[in-house]
Amino acid sequence: MTNRIEDSGLQTLSSNQPQQQIQLQYDAKSFIIGGKRVFLNIASIHYFRMPRQEWREVLVKAKLAGMNCVDTYFAWNVHEQEEGKWDFSGDNDCGAFLDLCSELGLWVIARPGPFICAEWDFGGFPYWLKTKENIQFRTDNEAYLHYVYRYLDQLVPVIRSRQLTKGGSVILVQVENEYGYLAEDASGISYMNGLRDALLERGIEVPLITCEGGAEGTIEGANFWSGADGHYEKLMRKQPDVPKLVTEFWTGWFEHWGAPAATQKTPDLYEKRIMEAIRAGFDGISHYMFFGGTNFGGYGGRTVGSSDIFMVTSYDYDAPLSEYGRITDKYRTAKKMSLFTQALGEILLESEPIDNGEARCEEGIQLQGRQWNGQKLWFAESIKQEKGIFPITLENGRTLQVSIRPGQIVPILDRIEICPGLKLTSSGFVIGNDRIGEIQTVILAGEDGGRTHIVFEADQDLHYDNVGNIPYESSKDGRALHLDVFHFQTPQRIRLMAGGQLVEVIMLNSFMSDRAWRIQGDEIRWAIGWTDIDFEAGGNTIGVIGGSDCEPFLLGEWGRKRDDVQDHADRMTSYSGHAIKPLVPPSFSEWKRKTTNLLSLTSGELTERPRGFAELGLEFGYLIYSNDVECDQDQESTLIFSAIQDSARLFVNGQEQAMIRQVGAASAAVRLSKGHNKLQLLVQHMGSLNFSPFLGEEKGIFGSVYMEGSAVELRRDWYSGEEVVHLDEVHTGTFTSALTRTFELMVNDQAILVGALNSGLQINGKEVLMEDYQNWFAYHAVDISAYIVSGTNTIEMPVSKTPVNRLELLTYNRSRELTNWSSVIMEDTVEFEEDSVNSKMSPTWNRSTFDLPAIPDNLNPKLKLRMTGMSKGYILLNGKNLGRYWQIGPQEDYKVPMAWLKQTGNELILFDEEGRRPDSVRLLYDVQSNQSWQTLI
């Protein structure tokens, strides 16, 4: 039984289990767990984007980065791939994932959806929902909610039994996901409240949250990358008395086929954006993604913005932890920032913004501050073009010299109490303030060779021995100490006594602070100087040495006999790396091939029009559509596909003639011979929309197909008054009125406009109805047949953004429809032949095997497959689908999970649409595979 009480704005949940007695409370400032205010450093990690065997390594890495909470979606479509067949085993055992989080001391934010977006196929919905009659997604639709509630009946018990109130670590549960991007709160109130009630009725006791769109009785969070102040103010207006969470802080971005790599969010910018959120007053930040993982199988989705934004197989996301579970520069930034929030958590969570501070700085430096209980924390941001040393004067004329890079935000401690009776003023970036044994240990990070001013002020006398020859000044009363310290590769360590308290300050440069690890257990320990850290199953801590010029050392109790509390920090353990022979990646046996003879394929059931994947009961994979066309003479024709949602290869009599990339509706030029022609289309399911007002589109080809149509490019030759406007060019100003253009129709009587259409579109003076239109959805396919006339037609349309990436008119005549289509599923179980010199370009399976060489115990290798020279297809490893590939960029390498390998006889199958030979395909170890791991103690 959960008790909810309200006292002075404090909301409380507690467990009646006597062995737990852990209360979860919250107020306007933060969540309070076990009586302590908590800054939530949240790692967004999806259990379904990696093998189960990798969960522990990834979660440990999150914890070592200072994350105290994990946020995960639950993907309905991996648990109920086929209707009524539930799977919560193996890689899909989400309960075991939650248990592991609890074992590792990580709280959990559970996001069951049912809609999750996540760049995941169909936003997490199972494909078969598309086939249900009269279904409408994400609404109060009766058919939809019937299946949603059935899903919640299966999933919620997994979460319910693992809530904090039941002895688990689930502290928050989210209702739906990002509904505010689809509709205003008022529009979705019935739907959102219904899902809220469904969770409560099924036993959810911990607080409910939402993101980007709210529901009564829930705590709303914000999703963003920039503009923290505006998002914070919006949440304050809506819910001033609850915590303020960044429910998704976008650490990077997804990638899609044929687009540049999404690496625009640099580590420096990442640090600045986090600091903006902290400065604004947010008390929790969910790093989406902290670890992205992989879209194995066909689960990569498709998103808005263009007609063919299909997710690549990698969901690396340029996240702090890479797709392979490796630390990156962003990981080091995330660790640095979480350590900062841990060291200064109390003032960050208790403080209020300073309205009229007395701090002063020169032009080009902006200051904002927060204060609590006489302590102040300033944020100095440079808008200058060069790095510089800038004087900042604090209250009572105290002036510090602060180094700030362009665009950087530097925190300045202003009389922060680091322990009772001792206050610190400094521009050093504090990453640690812990009591280690009997010593209060402060760790300050700075740039290589950087200079930091430190001022200690104590209630009692300060005693300092200048062991390291560091310039300093003491006040006359002996209660203030000014130090001028540099951040060297060899850490400077400063000791002083404040009353009876021994204090040590450790100065680290950026190299060493990147290699500083705070390990929290029964006692706080630090390991400084290791590039990477991990925990073995037996409990030992292992690490990778920071480098030949790095002398690592340990702080705290590491299981060794403590000789003397006073000099425990002097105990240093040095290590030297061992030169090892680099790992040689596995090599393939001779490739065997099986080329598809398209003309020999048995035709399936004939239907009037092509049928889509869901109509045929297929979740993913390939279909071959076939049609027989008789011609009186050799001819060229334009085919019009009225409904197509995936790329397709067009074959005529077994020879490829076109690759169709445009979707929604599309055209293709085809050359036909006199007599019989077999027209075939090879179509791969490339992912369903994971977010849009048009969620639930059929996949493949599923609309009527017409011959002798026409395709007209419409991006050029518009008019704004007398001015000619080309929409495929950049126009910086706004158009004063709607643009106009004409087109001619003579023979054809049907027309589709497809591309970047805008609300307010008119054909011949009549406004075209576009249901569920959203101006951010950058393409629509609209049948305008009811608006057209024979002869000249006029289009009028507002245009708000250029350049436009697609705007096309497709016309056809109903009498030229191609009927009698068959659909054949491309199976991946084939009989392979010996390597053949047949160079015919046709869909082909390639098969090879490889053995896994012996791997030394002190290595942790990660394997990837480089698909050089291939075209487009999918990869099977020992029967598991590693995902789609398409060698048009930006993805070049594909993850090969070590957990899915055998010591010998691993089978790799590549299906290639063009029949490319895999002569240049190879296996590689990543660059960190040769790092030597050693036990710290």
Side-chain angles (χ1 to χ4, degrees), residues 834-856:
E834 294 299 325
D835 191 14
S836 171
V837 295
N838 183 2
S839 61
K840 181 181 178 181
M841 302 297 279
S842 185
T844 300
W845 285 269
N846 301 276
R847 178 188 181 274
S848 184
T849 60
F850 64 93
D851 298 335
L852 192 63
I855 298 171

Side-chain angles (χ1 to χ4, degrees), residues 25-316:
Q25 304 169 296
Y26 64 86
D27 59 17
K29 293 183 176 180
S30 74
F31 289 98
I32 303 163
I33 304 177
K36 296 181 180 180
R37 288 201 180 276
V38 175
F39 190 102
L40 288 176
N41 289 302
I42 308 160
S44 191
I45 297 169
H46 301 155
Y47 62 92
F48 47 84
R49 278 187 156 124
M50 60 180 146
R52 178 175 182 163
Q53 293 89 338
E54 296 180 5
W55 290 351
R56 180 176 291 273
E57 181 180 7
V58 167
L59 291 173
V60 165
K61 277 293 186 292
K63 187 174 179 69
L64 284 168
M67 302 293 126
N68 54 15
C69 186
V70 167
D71 153 327
T72 189
Y73 284 129
F74 296 80
W76 181 357
N77 51 11
V78 304
H79 296 298
E80 194 184 9
Q81 292 182 4
E82 299 296 336
E83 185 176 354
K85 297 179 181 178
W86 296 94
D87 183 5
F88 291 93
S89 64
D91 293 345
N92 297 336
D93 191 348
C94 51
F97 181 80
L98 299 181
D99 292 339
L100 183 56
C101 291
S102 181
E103 176 191 330
L104 295 172
L106 292 163
W107 296 307
V108 173
I109 299 175
R111 306 172 79 183
F115 169 78
I116 64 173
C117 186
E119 288 72 63
W120 192 252
D121 186 74
F122 199 7
F125 293 135
Y127 82 94
W128 47 263
L129 272 186
K130 301 177 184 181
T131 67
K132 301 306 177 183
E133 188 175 357
N134 298 322
I135 196 165
Q136 295 177 0
F137 305 102
R138 305 184 72 189
T139 69
D140 268 338
N141 174 264
E142 183 178 354
Y144 166 68
L145 290 178
H146 167 76
Y147 293 101
V148 166
Y149 293 151
R150 197 183 67 172
Y151 159 67
L152 293 177
D153 286 340
Q154 293 286 329
L155 181 65
V156 170
V158 176
I159 301 171
R160 180 179 63 215
S161 63
R162 292 168 173 87
Q163 296 176 98
L164 188 71
T165 55
K166 303 296 185 183
S169 63
V170 175
I171 59 171
L172 302 170
V173 174
Q174 183 174 294
V175 180
E176 234 264 358
N177 187 58
E178 297 180 325
Y179 195 81
Y181 291 146
L182 191 66
E184 297 294 331
D185 287 1
S187 301
I189 187 169
S190 177
Y191 170 62
M192 290 292 287
N193 286 351
L195 289 181
R196 174 205 63 197
D197 293 345
L199 292 171
L200 294 174
E201 289 164 3
R202 287 163 177 78
I204 295 301
E205 301 171 332
V206 296
L208 298 177
I209 65 169
T210 61
C211 65
E212 294 303 331
E216 185 180 356
T218 68
I219 300 170
E220 183 175 348
N223 296 355
F224 63 87
W225 158 252
S226 59
D229 289 339
H231 289 285
Y232 186 86
E233 291 169 3
K234 177 182 176 181
L235 292 181
M236 279 294 292
R237 289 193 299 269
K238 294 184 74 171
Q239 293 182 308
D241 299 326
V242 302
K244 306 298 181 293
L245 290 176
V246 187
T247 36
E248 287 186 14
F249 178 77
W250 299 319
T251 64
W253 206 241
F254 56 81
E255 294 179 338
H256 59 275
W257 302 115
T263 55
Q264 63 271 23
K265 295 177 180 178
T266 64
D268 284 348
L269 193 54
Y270 178 43
E271 177 181 315
K272 178 180 180 177
R273 297 297 186 221
I274 297 173
M275 194 63 79
E276 287 173 345
I278 293 171
R279 181 181 66 184
F282 282 98
D283 48 77
I285 300 174
S286 181
H287 298 256
Y288 187 100
M289 297 295 297
F290 184 83
F291 165 82
T294 311
N295 297 319
F296 292 119
Y299 283 113
R302 167 191 178 199
T303 196
V304 299
S306 184
S307 63
D308 59 348
I309 296 186
F310 298 109
M311 299 299 109
V312 300
T313 295
S314 171
Y315 198 63
D316 181 89

Side-chain angles (χ1 to χ4, degrees), residues 347 372-378 394-396 398 412-418 422-426 455-457:
I347 185 171
W372 170 68
N373 198 25
Q375 305 171 77
K376 297 178 182 178
L377 180 63
W378 299 96
L394 306 177
E395 188 179 16
N396 298 330
R398 295 167 295 128
I412 300 170
L413 282 60
D414 184 356
R415 290 177 169 159
I416 301 294
E417 188 173 64
I418 62 169
L422 183 64
K423 295 180 178 179
L424 172 65
T425 298
S426 175
V455 180
F456 284 108
E457 297 173 277

Side-chain angles (χ1 to χ4, degrees), residues 677-824:
N677 295 267
K678 180 169 280 293
L679 193 128
Q680 293 174 297
L681 292 122
L682 177 66
V683 181
Q684 183 182 29
H685 186 308
M686 292 298 294
S688 301
L689 285 164
N690 52 261
F691 179 76
S692 102
F694 309 107
L695 207 65
E697 84 280 20
E698 180 56 282
K699 297 298 295 177
I701 303 173
F702 53 95
S704 297
V705 182
Y706 301 89
M707 289 184 61
E708 298 180 17
S710 72
V712 180
E713 167 65 63
L714 287 185
R715 291 184 296 172
R716 301 185 69 80
D717 301 322
W718 291 76
Y719 282 88
S720 176
E722 298 297 321
E723 179 187 2
V724 177
V725 176
H726 302 307
L727 297 181
D728 56 353
E729 300 175 359
V730 174
H731 297 275
T732 56
T734 57
F735 299 109
T736 56
S737 61
L739 304 182
T740 60
R741 192 191 192 283
T742 61
F743 63 89
E744 300 292 327
L745 272 183
M746 303 305 291
V747 177
N748 293 328
D749 60 2
Q750 305 292 299
I752 298 172
L753 272 179
V754 58
L757 306 179
N758 282 273
S759 179
L761 168 70
Q762 293 188 22
I763 306 292
N764 298 323
K766 296 180 180 179
E767 185 166 352
V768 177
L769 177 65
M770 292 191 289
E771 294 183 0
D772 297 318
Y773 174 83
Q774 298 282 351
N775 60 5
W776 43 258
F777 194 79
Y779 101 99
H780 297 75
V782 178
D783 189 331
I784 59 170
S785 301
Y787 302 89
I788 59 176
V789 296
S790 180
T792 301
N793 292 262
T794 301
I795 308 175
E796 183 177 0
M797 184 174 70
V799 175
S800 56
K801 184 179 180 180
T802 58
V804 168
N805 61 14
R806 185 187 182 193
L807 190 57
E808 195 173 11
L809 173 70
L810 307 177
T811 66
Y812 55 92
N813 193 291
R814 283 174 290 185
S815 66
R816 301 300 298 158
E817 181 180 357
L818 291 176
T819 58
N820 294 324
W821 288 86
S822 68
S823 304
V824 177

Side-chain angles (χ1 to χ4, degrees), residues 239-500:
Q239 293 182 308
D241 299 326
V242 302
K244 306 298 181 293
L245 290 176
V246 187
T247 36
E248 287 186 14
F249 178 77
W250 299 319
T251 64
W253 206 241
F254 56 81
E255 294 179 338
H256 59 275
W257 302 115
T263 55
Q264 63 271 23
K265 295 177 180 178
T266 64
D268 284 348
L269 193 54
Y270 178 43
E271 177 181 315
K272 178 180 180 177
R273 297 297 186 221
I274 297 173
M275 194 63 79
E276 287 173 345
I278 293 171
R279 181 181 66 184
F282 282 98
D283 48 77
I285 300 174
S286 181
H287 298 256
Y288 187 100
M289 297 295 297
F290 184 83
F291 165 82
T294 311
N295 297 319
F296 292 119
Y299 283 113
R302 167 191 178 199
T303 196
V304 299
S306 184
S307 63
D308 59 348
I309 296 186
F310 298 109
M311 299 299 109
V312 300
T313 295
S314 171
Y315 198 63
D316 181 89
Y317 208 79
D318 195 26
L321 203 61
S322 79
E323 180 183 8
Y324 297 86
R326 301 297 198 189
I327 66 173
T328 66
D329 287 341
K330 274 189 181 175
Y331 178 93
R332 297 182 180 99
T333 298
K335 177 161 67 71
K336 172 185 175 182
M337 298 305 293
S338 67
L339 291 175
F340 173 77
T341 63
Q342 290 172 352
L344 297 177
E346 187 174 36
I347 185 171
L348 289 175
L349 298 174
E350 296 283 6
S351 61
E352 300 288 346
I354 298 173
D355 294 329
N356 297 302
E358 297 184 16
R360 305 188 301 276
C361 57
E362 64 180 70
E363 187 176 353
I365 304 298
Q366 297 177 343
L367 276 179
Q368 295 183 44
R370 303 185 67 85
Q371 63 181 345
W372 170 68
N373 198 25
Q375 305 171 77
K376 297 178 182 178
L377 180 63
W378 299 96
F379 299 89
E381 180 176 2
S382 172
I383 58 174
K384 291 180 175 290
Q385 298 300 309
E386 294 183 3
K387 173 184 172 182
I389 307 296
F390 304 102
I392 295 178
T393 298
L394 306 177
E395 188 179 16
N396 298 330
R398 295 167 295 128
T399 300
L400 295 179
Q401 302 293 325
V402 182
S403 174
I404 316 178
R405 299 190 304 271
Q408 185 183 20
I409 301 174
V410 171
I412 300 170
L413 282 60
D414 184 356
R415 290 177 169 159
I416 301 294
E417 188 173 64
I418 62 169
C419 62
L422 183 64
K423 295 180 178 179
L424 172 65
T425 298
S426 175
S427 60
F429 197 104
V430 58
I431 61 171
N433 181 28
D434 296 306
R435 192 173 182 85
I436 301 178
E438 300 299 324
I439 302 175
Q440 189 69 33
T441 305
V442 179
I443 303 176
L444 295 179
E447 296 179 344
D448 297 351
R451 180 184 183 187
T452 293
H453 295 276
I454 298 174
V455 180
F456 284 108
E457 297 173 277
D459 294 343
Q460 303 180 50
D461 289 346
L462 281 169
H463 298 284
Y464 170 63
D465 294 325
N466 186 21
V467 178
N469 196 31
I470 296 172
Y472 73 99
E473 294 180 2
S474 294
S475 63
K476 291 181 179 180
D477 61 5
R479 296 189 176 184
L481 177 67
H482 296 242
L483 296 161
D484 195 1
V485 194
F486 285 84
H487 298 268
F488 294 147
Q489 179 72 11
T490 299
Q492 297 202 62
R493 305 176 70 167
I494 304 162
R495 286 200 173 180
L496 58 133
M497 292 289 295

Side-chain angles (χ1 to χ4, degrees), residues 535-716:
F535 300 129
E536 291 184 315
N540 288 337
T541 303
I542 58 175
V544 176
I545 303 305
S548 58
D549 62 344
C550 173
E551 296 183 356
F553 61 98
L554 305 172
L555 300 175
E557 182 56 60
W558 286 81
R560 302 176 63 186
K561 182 178 179 180
R562 300 178 63 181
D563 302 318
D564 187 342
V565 170
Q566 293 297 315
D567 66 355
H568 86 287
D570 291 330
R571 296 199 306 268
M572 301 176 65
T573 307
S574 298
Y575 298 84
S576 58
H578 297 287
I580 61 172
K581 185 178 181 180
L583 284 173
V584 177
S587 57
F588 293 118
S589 65
E590 185 177 18
W591 288 94
K592 295 182 179 181
R593 291 163 59 82
K594 176 65 176 179
T595 299
T596 303
N597 185 345
L598 294 173
L599 297 178
S600 68
L601 292 177
T602 303
S603 296
E605 176 190 354
L606 294 181
T607 55
E608 183 174 349
R609 60 164 177 80
R611 292 189 294 173
F613 277 77
E615 289 180 289
L616 294 169
L618 295 177
E619 184 178 25
F620 304 119
Y622 273 92
L623 283 172
I624 294 181
Y625 297 95
S626 298
N627 192 283
D628 294 311
V629 179
E630 300 291 336
C631 293
D632 295 335
Q633 60 184 4
D634 292 350
Q635 66 181 74
E636 293 186 358
S637 182
T638 297
L639 295 178
I640 300 298
F641 300 89
S642 64
I644 179 173
Q645 293 292 1
D646 292 283
S647 59
R649 291 186 187 275
L650 172 62
F651 297 84
V652 178
N653 297 326
Q655 299 296 314
E656 183 177 343
Q657 287 199 10
M659 174 69 172
I660 303 169
R661 288 281 301 272
Q662 301 286 16
V663 298
S667 66
V670 61
R671 301 182 304 279
L672 302 173
S673 302
K674 181 179 178 179
H676 178 76
N677 295 267
K678 180 169 280 293
L679 193 128
Q680 293 174 297
L681 292 122
L682 177 66
V683 181
Q684 183 182 29
H685 186 308
M686 292 298 294
S688 301
L689 285 164
N690 52 261
F691 179 76
S692 102
F694 309 107
L695 207 65
E697 84 280 20
E698 180 56 282
K699 297 298 295 177
I701 303 173
F702 53 95
S704 297
V705 182
Y706 301 89
M707 289 184 61
E708 298 180 17
S710 72
V712 180
E713 167 65 63
L714 287 185
R715 291 184 296 172
R716 301 185 69 80

